[in-house]
Amino acid sequence: MNPRIVSFHYTLTDPSGKTLDSSAGQEPLTYMEGASQIIPGLEKAMLLLQAQDKRKISVPAAEAYGPREESQIFEISKDKFPPGNIKVGDQFQAGADEDSPPFTVLKVTDSHLTLDANHPLAGIDLTFEVEITATREATSEELAHGHAHGPEGHGH
Ligand code: ZN
């Protein structure tokens, strides 16, 4: 049997209860099981869920975006950047890989920037409130592509 395609709504909160992300008001998120389309700790917890199930799922940082690593924080000379107004909290993509997490500017001095290459959610224990909206079997096209093609299966 092909793996399942699962569609779900979610609200993501941090340990203080602050909402970090939510699918409310948008299409549900859809993924193929086993295709690493969502974080591992969340996928594992949803393996046994069926349409209409609601759950609160706690995912420790280690099974979400990993630990925050000091080695990912570094200083770089401002000359390496095009002149402009770079502020603390700015995020930008570095390198050619669009899927790599953005760098976040932690500190700006006259000559240097301190950058953080950790994923913005690294080191944070996450809580997801999920509601499964639908499950179905993956099509052979989805299997061949290695990802889900949306709730109803329409592709690119
Ligand atoms: Zn595809």
Side-chain angles (χ1 to χ4, degrees):
M1 198 171 114
N2 289 347
R4 291 195 308 170
I5 302 294
V6 179
S7 297
F8 69 107
H9 277 298
Y10 67 95
T11 296
L12 167 61
T13 52
D14 72 7
S16 74
K18 182 180 151 208
T19 298
L20 301 174
D21 194 11
S22 172
S23 65
Q26 303 172 47
E27 291 295 305
L29 193 64
T30 297
Y31 68 98
M32 180 161 77
E33 288 185 339
S36 303
Q37 288 189 274
I38 61 170
I39 58 172
L42 182 59
E43 177 164 344
K44 195 170 76 183
M46 295 206 294
L47 279 174
L48 296 175
L49 299 187
Q50 305 295 334
Q52 270 69 62
D53 282 349
K54 291 183 186 182
R55 288 284 188 288
K56 193 172 203 170
I57 298 169
S58 298
V59 183
E63 291 182 45
Y65 293 95
R68 233 177 109 79
E69 297 185 25
E70 289 299 317
S71 64
Q72 297 288 89
I73 296 172
F74 55 94
E75 269 200 347
I76 185 166
S77 166
K78 260 185 170 172
D79 325 334
K80 301 226 159 77
F81 284 82
N85 191 14
I86 300 173
K87 308 182 299 299
V88 170
D90 282 355
Q91 295 189 331
F92 53 88
Q93 206 68 42
D97 184 359
E98 288 179 17
D99 290 330
S100 60
F103 288 81
T104 305
V105 179
L106 291 186
K107 196 172 136 194
V108 181
T109 69
D110 287 342
S111 57
H112 285 80
L113 302 175
T114 304
L115 300 181
D116 184 353
N118 285 293
H119 189 284
L121 297 179
I124 302 178
D125 295 329
L126 303 175
T127 300
F128 291 86
E129 284 191 55
V130 303
E131 177 179 0
I132 310 292
T133 58
T135 67
R136 61 178 172 81
E137 200 179 330
T139 64
S140 39
E141 188 186 49
E142 287 172 317
L143 258 189
H145 287 203
H147 54 231
H149 282 167
E152 310 302 330
H154 305 298
H156 358 186

